[in-house]
Amino acid sequence: MRTPVKLAAYAIGLIAVFGAALGGGRLVGPTAAAPPAHGSMDATGHSDSHGDSHDGAAVPEPPGGLQVAQDGYRLVPVTGTLSTGAAEPFEFRVLGPDGAPVTAYTTSHDKELHLIVVRRDLAGFQHVHPTRRADGTWSVPLAVAAPGQYRVFADFQPAARDDGLTLGVDVPAPGDYRPTALPAPARTAEVDGYTVTLAGELTPGRSSKLTLSVRKAGAPVTDLQPYLGAYGHLVALRDGDLAYLHVHPDGAPGDGRTAAGPEIVFHAEVPSDGAYRLYLDFQHGGKVRTAEFTLTAGHTHS
Ligand SMILES: [Cu+2]
């Protein structure tokens, strides 16, 4: 959980904006940098260090996840390939501006580092939490379902910074890559007996409210369980370059005003028109599941 002051810095970054309190979906400029009316909002996946704004028109910086190195930090895979069979350790390091592996992190949503793995065609999404050895090497048992080129995102905050970073690197799973087409836009996703519906539109450059509703066997789920400090985690990846956006919901478990379902409300801001793949992680009955949607923002260019 970051402080409101840090959150304000994120708001200037303009990549992800959360909270209706920030102004009902209008473009968020420096005037919105005041602490939001409610806490427990968080954004990762970009840095504000180059964010700049003038006269209320903030200049957005590039989305997170597109770079292997940023602001002196670099994501370095130790393991060169991903396993398509049994899980094998996938290891990597984050090098700091001094060239040494980073060993001091600020915990965000219960973890020092979140690792997202997805194939370049947006299939095979995984969100895992590696463990760190004292020398700074991260390791997680990992297997992917099918061969192909994968994008690995490390979402973290070095202790030396007051904001987070998302670095991305391509790692192949050797074999016969059979890319799949992006699933057509849909408002309903089925996962493991759960039906998740999506309401809301993504408007490029504006905070957009997305409401996800979870049902099981037709009945609203009202006892969602907190997962990493929230009732849901939403990752959005842009089709075409896998620009990365990680959004946390409005409200937090135990804040006295946030229901444990069936609705989970997010405010997300995408940087451009285009198709996005949305991945909602939610926990119920002791198990984390991921519901996936394709959503088109703005005009379609087909
Ligand atoms: Cu995570």
Side-chain angles (χ1 to χ4, degrees):
M1 209 67 60
R2 297 188 173 91
T3 67
V5 171
K6 287 170 182 170
L7 180 90
Y10 282 104
I12 295 170
L14 256 186
I15 305 303
V17 178
F18 316 98
L22 290 178
R26 69 183 168 79
L27 216 121
V28 175
T31 54
H38 48 273
S40 77
M41 295 177 291
D42 192 6
T44 54
H46 67 283
S47 155
D48 74 306
S49 59
H50 300 302
D52 197 4
S53 54
H54 304 279
D55 303 317
V59 177
E61 64 177 56
L66 296 176
Q67 302 184 90
V68 72
Q70 182 183 338
D71 301 342
Y73 292 86
R74 172 173 290 272
L75 175 59
V76 180
V78 174
T79 311
T81 59
L82 301 176
S83 170
T84 51
E88 293 177 9
F90 174 73
E91 300 197 337
F92 61 96
R93 299 187 183 100
V94 176
L95 304 185
D98 61 357
V102 176
T103 56
Y105 293 82
T106 299
T107 296
S108 173
H109 282 266
D110 293 351
K111 301 290 178 183
E112 288 188 340
L113 185 145
H114 303 259
L115 196 75
I116 305 293
V117 180
V118 69
R119 204 167 63 173
R120 271 283 176 190
D121 60 359
L122 297 171
F125 176 91
Q126 296 186 59
H127 176 174
V128 296
H129 299 103
T131 54
R132 180 173 56 80
R133 295 200 289 267
D135 71 355
T137 303
W138 291 92
S139 182
V140 62
L142 196 64
V144 295
Q149 189 78 333
Y150 283 77
R151 190 70 170 170
V152 174
F153 301 94
D155 183 337
F156 61 95
Q157 180 179 346
R161 289 173 63 100
D162 59 9
D163 63 345
L165 280 174
T166 301
L167 303 179
V169 67
D170 278 5
V171 181
D176 184 11
Y177 177 25
R178 304 288 180 91
T180 56
L182 184 68
R187 293 288 179 168
T188 300
E190 304 281 344
V191 53
D192 213 5
Y194 294 81
T195 302
V196 184
T197 55
L198 168 64
E201 304 289 343
L202 285 174
T203 303
R206 294 181 59 177
S207 175
S208 305
K209 181 180 180 182
L210 299 177
T211 302
L212 291 133
S213 301
V214 183
R215 283 181 158 67
K216 185 176 188 186
V221 173
T222 56
D223 56 347
L224 289 173
Q225 297 166 323
Y227 171 56
L228 302 175
Y231 284 126
H233 295 258
L234 187 67
V235 167
L237 298 174
R238 183 166 60 186
D239 182 40
D241 66 359
L242 277 63
Y244 173 98
L245 183 68
H246 188 171
V247 190
H248 294 115
D250 293 1
D255 67 2
R257 57 173 193 80
T258 304
E263 295 189 342
I264 315 170
V265 177
F266 296 87
H267 284 81
E269 180 170 329
V270 295
S272 72
D273 286 1
Y276 292 80
R277 190 71 170 161
L278 273 47
Y279 307 87
L280 171 72
D281 287 337
F282 65 97
Q283 182 167 248
H284 188 243
K287 189 177 173 193
V288 177
R289 298 172 179 85
T290 304
E292 303 187 13
F293 302 85
T294 298
L295 192 55
T296 304
H299 305 286
T300 55
H301 306 277
S302 54

